[in-house]
Amino acid sequence: MKTMDRRRFLGLAATGVAGAAGMTALSGCGRGPASGEVKLKLVAADYGNPGGENSSKIYWQKIADAFTKKNPDITVDVTVYSWTDIGKKLTAMVDAGNPPDIAQVDSYADWAAEGKLYKVSELLPIPVQAEFLVALAEAGEVRRVQYGLPFVASTRVLFYNKDLFKKAGLDPDEPPESWRELKSAAQALKSAGVKIPYGLPLGPEEAQGESLMWMLGNAGSYVDSVGNYTINSPENIETFKWLRDNLVAPGYTEPNPQRVDRQKMFEAFVKGDVGILNGHPTLMQQADKEHIAYGTGKLPGSSGPAEGTLGVADWMMAFNKNDKNGHREACGKFLAYVFEEKNHYAFTSQYGLLPVTTSASERMRKDEKQKKLWPFLDQLAGAEFYPVGKVSWAGTSATIKKSIGRAAMKGGDPNGVLTMLQRKAETEEESAPS
C-alpha cells in the first residue's frame, strides 16, 4: 500500500491542510439529468500507485458501478487523488462551499465541529453501525457524537532482523520484551557492527506515532481517559529521559533521531542496516519483497511487554451541504454498501490493511493468505488511537511532529520540551470551536 501511514496515517490531521483556489469545478454535486436521480460525488485517497494497476481508482469505480446497478436512481462520480494531493484538494472544495457528498481521507474533526458533516446515526441503520469495532467507532466521535466512519486501520508491532540478531549472538526467536532487554539487544547489535541497532524515527513525518508507542510502554499517552491533554505527564517525561540516556546518548540510534523520518528507517531496515524498530504491515510487505528474515513481537514496555499499541485509522464522512436535494439517504445507502463484508474485505485484503467491521475482521482471521496480518489484527480492539476527535488535535499534532524529537536528543530537556507542547496543546484546545 501507498501506506495509509504516510502522513497521511494523520498527515492531514497532523499538518493542517492548506486550501487551494480553482477547485470548484471538481467538487459539489447535484441531481442527475432525469427526475428522481441523484448523482453523488466521491473523493478518495489512493492507496496504490496513481494510474497504476493497483490504484484505488479501480476499486472505487467497480464499487460505484455495482452500486448503481443495484440502485439505478443513484450514480456515483469517483475522483481519486494521491495522498500528497488529497488534503489540499479536498480542503479547497470545502472552503469553496462545494464539498463532495462523500470523502475518504485521514481526518474529519474540523469539518464535524463546523457542522458540515452528517452524524453517522443520520446515515446508517443501527445494524450497520453496530458492525464497526467499538474502539474505532469511538475514535470517530467529536464530543461523543460519531461523525467519522473508520475505513481501514493498522496497528504497530516490533520488528527485528533475525540475521542481525544471529550476528550479534542474540536468539533470533526471542524479541526484546522490556526496555532493559531492548537496550541490551541494541548494545549487542552495535558491538556486532550493525549500523543502526534501533531505528528511532522522531522526525517530522511521524514523530507523533513513534512517541505515542513509547509513551504507551510506560503507562503514558497524549490524553487521559476523559480527553484532557497529558503530554508532560511524569510518565511521558520519564519515557523521554530513558530514550535520551539509554538509546540516543550511547549511540544505539542514528545520531539525530529528531531529523529521521519513518520511511527512511523502513528503507534502512529492508536494506539490512537496522536491527530493531517499530512498524506496521507496510514494512512487512517491503521486507518480504527484499527477502529480509524478520520477526515480530509486542512493543516493549518499561518493565515488560506494553499493554497496548498504537492504532491508526483513515476515515469516511458525508457532507451535508446537499441535504435539501435528498442526498442524505443516497449517501447512507452507498456507505452501507461500501461496508458490506465482501466489499470492505476486498479493499483491506488488497492493500494489506486491517478491516474495521466485525464480519470482515472475522473473515480475515479465517483467511490463511492473510496469516501475517493476524498479529496486527489481534491488537486492534485494544489499540490506542490518536485523539482525532479533538478539534485541537490537528494543530497539536503538527507541533508535536516538529518538536518532540528534541526531547530525546543527547543533552535534550524532556521536561522543557513536553511542557512546551502541553501548553501549546492547551492553547489549541481553548481556541477550538465549541
Side-chain angles (χ1 to χ4, degrees), residues 67 185 228 282 328 351 362 433:
F67 175 77
N228 297 316
T282 295
R328 178 182 64 81
Y351 292 105
E362 291 175 349

Side-chain angles (χ1 to χ4, degrees), residues 344-356:
H344 182 46
Y345 192 73
F347 190 92
T348 57
S349 60
Q350 177 181 353
Y351 292 105
L353 294 165
L354 303 182
V356 299

Side-chain angles (χ1 to χ4, degrees), residues 129-139 150 153 355-359 361 377 380-381:
Q129 295 180 53
E131 262 282 278
F132 292 103
L133 300 176
V134 174
L136 286 161
E138 291 178 348
V356 299
T357 66
T358 300
S359 59
S361 295
L377 188 63
L380 186 57

Side-chain angles (χ1 to χ4, degrees), residues 109-337:
D110 285 357
W111 294 316
E114 293 167 1
K116 294 177 179 177
L117 302 181
Y118 286 115
K119 300 173 184 177
V120 171
S121 61
E122 296 174 315
L123 296 166
L124 300 176
I126 291 176
V128 179
Q129 295 180 53
E131 262 282 278
F132 292 103
L133 300 176
V134 174
L136 286 161
E138 291 178 348
E141 295 179 352
V142 173
R143 301 183 185 95
R144 301 187 181 280
V145 177
Q146 188 181 357
Y147 294 91
L149 287 162
F151 177 57
V152 289
S154 176
T155 60
R156 304 295 196 275
V157 300
L158 184 82
F159 282 76
Y160 64 100
N161 185 309
K162 289 191 171 186
D163 289 336
L164 295 183
F165 264 47
K166 292 177 183 177
K167 180 180 178 181
L170 300 168
D171 189 335
D173 297 317
E174 294 291 336
E177 295 186 339
S178 67
W179 289 357
R180 179 184 58 80
E181 292 177 2
L182 178 61
K183 178 182 178 180
S184 178
Q187 185 176 29
L189 289 164
K190 185 176 178 65
S191 297
V194 174
K195 185 176 181 181
I196 307 172
Y198 183 83
L200 184 66
L202 291 174
E205 181 185 354
E206 206 189 30
Q208 85 285 2
E210 183 72 16
S211 297
L212 181 53
M213 285 183 271
W214 279 94
M215 291 174 181
L216 292 172
N218 197 33
S221 187
Y222 288 125
V223 296
D224 61 20
S225 60
V226 294
N228 297 316
Y229 282 111
T230 57
I231 299 172
N232 68 335
S233 69
E235 293 83 4
N236 291 345
I237 292 171
E238 181 181 50
T239 294
F240 276 86
K241 285 181 178 178
W242 191 92
L243 281 171
R244 178 194 65 189
D245 298 339
N246 293 276
L247 288 185
V248 179
Y252 301 148
T253 68
E254 284 206 352
N256 298 301
Q258 88 279 16
R259 298 178 183 174
V260 178
D261 285 339
R262 178 197 51 77
Q263 186 56 36
K264 180 180 178 181
M265 281 296 95
F266 278 20
E267 292 170 356
F269 184 80
V270 300
K271 290 179 181 177
D273 291 337
V274 177
I276 312 168
L277 81 171
N278 297 326
H280 53 73
T282 295
L283 179 57
M284 182 175 63
Q285 293 179 339
Q286 294 173 357
D288 286 340
K289 185 177 180 181
E290 297 300 324
H291 306 292
I292 295 293
Y294 65 90
T296 61
K298 291 186 176 181
L299 302 184
S302 57
S303 58
E307 293 184 2
T309 189
L310 170 64
V312 180
D314 289 338
W315 303 92
M316 295 197 76
M317 66 214 72
F319 289 86
N320 58 23
K321 179 176 182 290
N322 288 294
D323 187 47
K324 63 182 181 296
N325 293 330
H327 286 201
R328 178 182 64 81
E329 183 179 355
C331 287
K333 282 185 177 181
F334 181 71
L335 288 167
Y337 185 73

Side-chain angles (χ1 to χ4, degrees), residues 12 17-29 41-44 81 85-105 107-118 317-322:
L12 210 150
V17 291
M23 295 303 303
T24 56
L26 294 176
S27 58
C29 54
K41 172 71 177 179
L42 166 69
V43 172
Y81 293 112
D85 295 334
I86 192 169
K88 60 180 179 289
K89 298 285 191 182
L90 183 56
T91 297
M93 295 177 191
V94 177
D95 289 351
N98 290 289
D101 291 282
I102 298 171
Q104 182 274 302
V105 71
S107 67
Y108 63 87
D110 285 357
W111 294 316
E114 293 167 1
K116 294 177 179 177
L117 302 181
Y118 286 115
M317 66 214 72
F319 289 86
N320 58 23
K321 179 176 182 290
N322 288 294

Side-chain angles (χ1 to χ4, degrees), residues 2-4 6-9 12 45-47 50 81-87 104-106 314:
K2 194 101 175 169
T3 174
M4 143 169 109
R6 272 181 48 159
R7 73 222 202 331
R8 298 169 3 201
F9 269 105
L12 210 150
D46 204 328
Y47 291 74
Y81 293 112
S82 70
W83 278 106
T84 302
D85 295 334
I86 192 169
Q104 182 274 302
V105 71
D106 56 4
D314 289 338

